[in-house]
Amino acid sequence: MGNWLFSNGPETVYEMPAHALDDYVQFSLRPTEDCQKQIDEAVDSIYATLQEATEPPVVTHVAKGGSYGRKTFLKGSADGTLVIFIGDLEKFQDQKEKRYEILDKIWQRLRACRLERRLAARMEMLRPDGGLAIRLYTKYQCVTLDVLPAFDALDLSGKPSPSTYRDLKRALDKARASPGEFSVCFTQLQQNFFNNHPRKLRDLILLVKDWHRLCQKRLEPRSLPPSYALELLTVYAWEEGCREEDFDIVQGLRTVLGLIQQQEQLCVYWTVNYNFEDETVRNVMLGQIRSPRPVILDPTDPTNRVSGDKECWQLLKEEAQAWLSRPSLQESPSWNVLPTPLHETPGHHLDKFIKDFLQPTKTVRLQTKAAVGIISKFLKEICFRNSATNVQKPIKAGSTGKGTALKTGSDADLVVFVNSLTSFPSQRAERYSVIKEIKRQLEAQQQLAAEPDLEVTFEISKWEAPRVLSFSLKSRRLPGPVDMDVLPAFNALEKLRPLWRVYAQLIAQYQEHPDTPGGEFSACFTELQRDFVSSRPTKLKDLLRLVKHWYKQCERRLKKKGSLPPKYALELLTIYAWEQGSGATSFDTAQGFRTVLELVTRYQQLCVFWTVNYDFENETVRNFLLSQLQKPRPVILDPADPTGDVGGGNRWCWHRLANEAAEWLSSSLCFKDGTGDPVPSWEVPAVQTPGSCGAGVCPVVNEMFSCRSRGIPDWKC
């Protein structure tokens, strides 16, 4: 631990080296355990004293609220609330009407018992503006707790019901109370919300609050957003971007500051205690999320918009930009978190969501194009200039080649056809030697140049003989690094014309070597894969981006619970859904999205294929396709490579993805229109029907499906 935490070291968080922030939190921001224990014991004694009394007001229980109750209070001086639930209060309005009367009696009760003489912490009672506050002192800590009488709105299980929030809305209207005025009734829910998150997240919250406190001192008397809004924003950043108990606190900090920079788009809320099912609650929530941004709602009270006004956020945005520009924070990446979560985006706003957050910017597109150009030139002109090997052509592949790349992150896939790979067996046996040579030449190139035009950092592969070379490319001609995958491949489409001969030889390779994994040679068909997607309407490509973004969120949540099906399977399923359900260049994005997720929940029935590149005319291909279609469901065949069943049957954990899809379908706002009504899905069969997969479906396939419909096993058909 460095001496910057002690005398003669930096005095504020701004001056902390990034690597010292964890220690800074522990020693400068987190209250000591002894102090917390003394404060807690004093609060428990106060509660016991109040509950012992038999005369009104009858105290049923007490909840610790504010930063003290959430355990997010800073070392030194802090505040919080002591919420006293009164049995005599029968409804929300009573809380407002009888507040000062109850506080007077509580004050008299505490004065009469001279409790301060028996506490480990020194106690002082204050009466600001007719209210009541209790200040507790220990050697190193001072906590001021506002005493708040409250109506107990929760049921015996300690949970709210829709009727709870309906009553809340009526009470606000009748009492002409401010939105959020009765939030103290839900203090226990607030405490539970924060308790369900790891301790290190509280450390990140302390760091953000310490920065917020410094900003407020600098900008007084102007006001900043309330610290509770930043606490919730920090929780949101962690939930959307990390969800790990142990994480890099600098990455978390950069993410929160980055979200503050996007305050004009912030819309953050949770549906853990309330949701859109009840009409009254739904109307309240829709009214909140349609209000001017930023919007941050209390997860326990839908009427309580804690974000404050736009003007105060603009001040904080400038402070966030200033801190992010400091060298200490510039080395670490941020988590990939959007200011508006997809789950909470209404269906009629999905097109805007895609445009704002998923479509790549012009800068990203140009950067990726330039990176592909640099590597393509290197491969064609430099890499093999001293050998008999030459590059016939590099092909831009993956989402970049298909035109479905996402906005976040710059990456590119490049398939390289080289003349030394002369067949499918040759590709399998010799591609690693090509990869090693490319890597060797890239390393030599950057070592030889006095001012290197390119700098590469290689990713260590977990495979002994990988079939792809992965690296991060930096160059003077690029504004930032670009992650690249280079795959050497046999140029089968050019060498083995016509197309049926290509597939016949491909299938022969599998028949001779049955241990060959399906899709092993899919890189040979990159151009067909690319053209299958790139020729589609722009709006369908946007739907593909949306589904891929959803998939990445599921992947992050489920990464430790088994292998999910490949992303390409979801892309093909999306295209199938559009072909069968719409086929139009303009359609309702929410309907398309809903249809795809419903198909995911029906994964055990899926059988999807196309006959745009291969069909049933050639006997070898026909027999192979029929065997593929009889595999355990789901079956989703790559339209460019019949050996590639990306559905995979039981190979992947489709059930986990299906559970996620079912949860989204039941709870996400994506599938509701502007009035809150459900968006219908397209009618799409889970099984590809004869005639729906293009020309060339032969009578044999018709007969197979006819047999299945009559319950006749395929082998008897």
Side-chain angles (χ1 to χ4, degrees):
M1 182 175 62
N3 62 3
W4 50 79
L5 295 175
F6 302 101
S7 59
N8 302 320
E11 295 181 355
T12 72
V13 67
Y14 287 119
E15 300 167 270
M16 287 294 144
H19 67 272
L21 287 176
D22 281 305
D23 286 341
Y24 176 71
V25 172
Q26 180 178 351
F27 293 100
S28 299
L29 303 184
R30 190 191 296 164
T32 65
E33 291 186 6
D34 283 346
C35 288
Q36 288 192 62
K37 183 179 179 182
Q38 290 177 35
I39 298 291
D40 288 343
E41 287 176 351
V43 171
D44 290 343
S45 296
I46 293 169
Y47 166 45
T49 300
L50 292 174
Q51 202 173 33
E52 286 169 3
T54 55
E55 69 276 5
V58 177
V59 176
T60 58
H61 60 286
V62 172
K64 304 165 186 176
S67 62
Y68 168 66
R70 298 188 294 267
K71 300 178 183 175
T72 58
F73 64 104
L74 291 163
K75 189 175 187 177
S77 180
D79 55 32
T81 59
L82 195 60
V83 181
I84 314 292
F85 289 97
I86 306 297
D88 306 337
L89 302 181
E90 298 180 351
K91 54 185 182 296
F92 289 104
Q93 298 96 305
D94 293 344
Q95 176 180 312
K96 183 175 183 178
E97 294 169 4
K98 301 179 180 179
R99 179 190 174 200
Y100 293 107
E101 175 189 340
I102 293 172
L103 288 176
D104 283 339
K105 291 180 178 179
I106 290 175
W107 177 63
Q108 291 169 9
R109 189 177 299 174
L110 291 175
R111 281 186 64 196
C113 68
R114 298 186 177 277
L115 183 64
E116 65 274 8
R117 297 181 181 180
R118 295 181 276 135
L119 298 180
R122 186 162 64 88
M123 172 180 157
E124 178 184 357
M125 287 196 291
L126 310 169
R127 298 300 308 270
D129 300 322
L132 174 61
I134 295 174
R135 186 167 290 163
L136 298 169
Y137 299 89
T138 67
K139 186 175 182 181
Y140 301 108
Q141 190 72 43
C142 170
V143 177
T144 302
L145 301 172
D146 287 327
V147 179
L148 302 173
F151 160 60
D152 190 355
L154 306 181
D155 59 26
L156 294 176
S157 67
K159 296 179 180 178
S161 65
S163 63
T164 304
Y165 292 112
R166 287 198 298 270
D167 292 344
L168 171 65
K169 179 64 171 64
R170 282 195 292 267
L172 288 171
D173 295 338
K174 287 182 179 179
R176 296 184 180 179
S178 304
E181 186 164 336
F182 300 127
S183 293
V184 293
C185 301
F186 307 105
T187 295
Q188 189 59 55
L189 295 180
Q190 193 182 93
Q191 192 179 62
N192 294 342
F193 178 81
F194 279 82
N195 285 343
N196 287 331
H197 293 85
R199 176 171 180 170
K200 189 161 185 178
L201 178 56
R202 292 197 184 96
D203 288 348
L204 177 57
I205 290 172
L206 293 179
L207 196 59
V208 171
K209 289 181 70 172
D210 183 51
W211 168 72
H212 175 267
R213 181 171 60 180
L214 287 173
C215 294
Q216 187 63 75
K217 283 182 180 179
R218 280 181 11 87
L219 297 170
E220 281 179 340
R222 293 177 291 179
S223 295
L224 292 180
S227 62
Y228 183 41
L230 295 193
E231 291 187 43
L232 291 175
L233 188 61
T234 306
V235 172
Y236 168 74
W238 177 83
E239 287 183 343
E240 291 291 310
C242 178
R243 286 189 176 267
E244 299 286 345
E245 289 200 13
D246 189 21
F247 57 85
D248 186 328
I249 201 166
V250 182
Q251 290 184 11
L253 178 60
R254 280 186 56 85
T255 305
V256 175
L257 296 176
L259 288 171
I260 291 170
Q261 287 186 294
Q262 302 175 77
Q263 42 94 11
E264 296 92 344
Q265 297 172 309
L266 275 179
C267 184
V268 176
Y269 61 98
W270 289 262
T271 54
V272 290
N273 292 303
Y274 51 81
N275 55 43
F276 292 90
E277 295 305 312
D278 180 81
E279 183 180 3
T280 300
V281 179
R282 178 170 69 241
N283 290 336
V284 170
M285 293 179 69
L286 289 174
Q288 294 279 32
I289 64 179
R290 287 169 179 163
S291 11
R293 307 294 167 87
V295 171
I296 302 176
L297 299 189
D298 186 333
T300 69
D301 179 359
T303 73
N304 189 22
R305 180 178 167 184
V306 301
S307 40
D309 60 46
K310 184 177 180 180
E311 189 174 324
C312 64
W313 280 89
Q314 186 59 39
L315 294 172
L316 200 63
K317 176 181 177 179
E318 294 167 7
E319 293 291 317
Q321 289 171 333
W323 196 10
L324 279 172
S325 65
R326 292 182 178 234
S328 62
L329 292 187
Q330 288 184 332
E331 292 300 317
S332 293
S334 303
W335 299 326
N336 179 20
V337 179
L338 300 179
T340 301
L342 172 59
H343 190 277
E344 315 302 348
T345 301
H348 62 295
H349 287 166
L350 287 178
D351 290 324
K352 186 176 187 304
F353 180 91
I354 295 167
K355 181 180 179 182
D356 289 346
F357 305 125
L358 302 186
Q359 289 179 351
T361 63
K362 184 177 180 181
T363 300
V364 169
R365 291 196 303 270
L366 291 175
Q367 176 169 307
T368 305
K369 182 179 179 180
V372 169
I374 290 170
I375 293 300
S376 296
K377 182 179 179 180
F378 165 79
L379 291 169
K380 288 191 291 186
E381 299 178 8
I382 299 173
C383 188
F384 300 106
R385 60 187 171 188
N386 298 321
S387 73
T389 301
N390 65 71
V391 173
Q392 295 167 323
K393 56 179 176 180
I395 300 294
K396 189 162 58 173
S399 59
T400 303
K402 297 170 189 171
T404 60
L406 294 172
K407 182 177 186 176
T408 52
S410 297
D411 52 36
D413 296 336
L414 207 60
V415 173
V416 184
F417 295 120
V418 294
N419 66 344
S420 62
L421 305 181
T422 57
S423 64
F424 294 117
S426 169
Q427 173 176 317
R428 192 174 187 186
E430 300 171 33
R431 66 185 165 202
Y432 183 49
S433 63
V434 176
I435 285 174
K436 287 196 294 184
E437 180 61 16
I438 295 173
K439 181 179 179 182
R440 189 177 74 83
Q441 292 293 340
L442 278 170
E443 290 172 334
Q445 178 70 11
Q446 66 177 352
Q447 288 172 4
L448 289 173
E451 292 183 5
D453 189 49
L454 58 86
E455 177 187 335
V456 290
T457 304
F458 295 102
E459 180 183 305
I460 299 174
S461 176
K462 62 180 179 179
W463 306 107
E464 189 174 329
R467 60 181 180 178
V468 58
L469 178 64
S470 299
F471 57 90
S472 179
L473 172 68
K474 293 181 181 179
S475 170
R476 291 174 299 180
R477 287 185 272 161
L478 299 174
V482 177
D483 294 328
M484 301 200 72
D485 287 340
V486 175
L487 298 85
F490 161 50
N491 193 1
L493 296 178
E494 195 168 294
K495 295 287 186 182
L496 300 176
R497 291 180 181 277
L499 202 52
W500 65 264
R501 182 175 290 126
V502 178
Y503 290 117
Q505 287 208 16
L506 174 69
I507 291 164
Q509 168 70 19
Y510 279 83
Q511 291 170 339
E512 292 171 15
H513 304 280
D515 61 327
T516 304
E520 172 78 7
F521 304 104
S522 62
C524 302
F525 305 96
T526 293
E527 292 165 281
L528 298 180
Q529 289 176 333
R530 180 196 63 191
D531 295 345
F532 181 77
V533 179
S534 64
S535 61
R536 306 290 173 163
T538 300
K539 189 154 189 181
L540 177 56
K541 293 177 185 176
D542 281 344
L543 177 58
L544 285 165
R545 287 188 174 97
L546 187 67
V547 171
K548 285 162 68 174
H549 176 71
W550 172 79
Y551 175 88
K552 289 177 74 172
Q553 288 189 298
C554 296
E555 191 177 37
R556 186 176 65 242
R557 279 171 51 88
L558 301 174
K559 61 184 176 182
K560 293 183 179 179
K561 298 181 180 179
S563 178
L564 294 184
K567 184 170 52 181
Y568 188 36
L570 273 292
E571 293 184 59
L572 293 177
L573 197 59
T574 304
I575 292 172
Y576 170 72
W578 173 80
E579 286 180 341
Q580 297 289 312
S582 172
T585 56
S586 180
F587 55 85
D588 187 323
T589 301
Q591 279 189 288
F593 189 29
R594 183 182 193 99
T595 305
V596 174
L597 265 59
E598 286 183 355
L599 286 172
V600 170
T601 66
R602 298 159 67 192
Y603 70 95
Q604 292 172 310
Q605 305 166 32
L606 289 176
C607 183
V608 177
F609 63 101
W610 288 265
T611 55
V612 291
N613 293 306
Y614 50 80
D615 55 34
F616 296 86
E617 295 300 318
N618 178 270
E619 184 179 2
T620 301
V621 178
R622 178 175 66 246
N623 291 336
F624 182 79
L625 283 177
L626 290 175
S627 67
Q628 289 285 73
L629 297 177
Q630 294 175 63
K631 285 183 172 181
R633 309 292 174 80
V635 171
I636 304 174
L637 297 189
D638 184 338
D641 178 1
T643 73
D645 175 15
V646 294
N650 297 322
R651 181 180 177 186
W652 294 295
C653 297
W654 276 93
H655 65 287
R656 297 199 183 280
L657 197 64
N659 290 340
E660 287 290 305
E663 185 176 330
W664 275 66
L665 288 167
S666 65
S667 63
S668 174
L669 196 56
C670 296
F671 310 112
K672 297 185 184 297
D673 61 20
T675 63
D677 292 329
V679 173
S681 57
W682 298 326
E683 291 187 13
V684 175
V687 177
Q688 183 86 295
T689 55
S692 68
C693 52
V697 180
C698 70
V700 176
V701 185
N702 283 326
E703 181 64 20
M704 186 189 81
F705 279 96
S706 175
C707 288
R708 281 198 168 179
S709 68
R710 288 178 281 140
I712 301 173
D714 293 324
W715 63 274
K716 285 186 178 181
C717 185

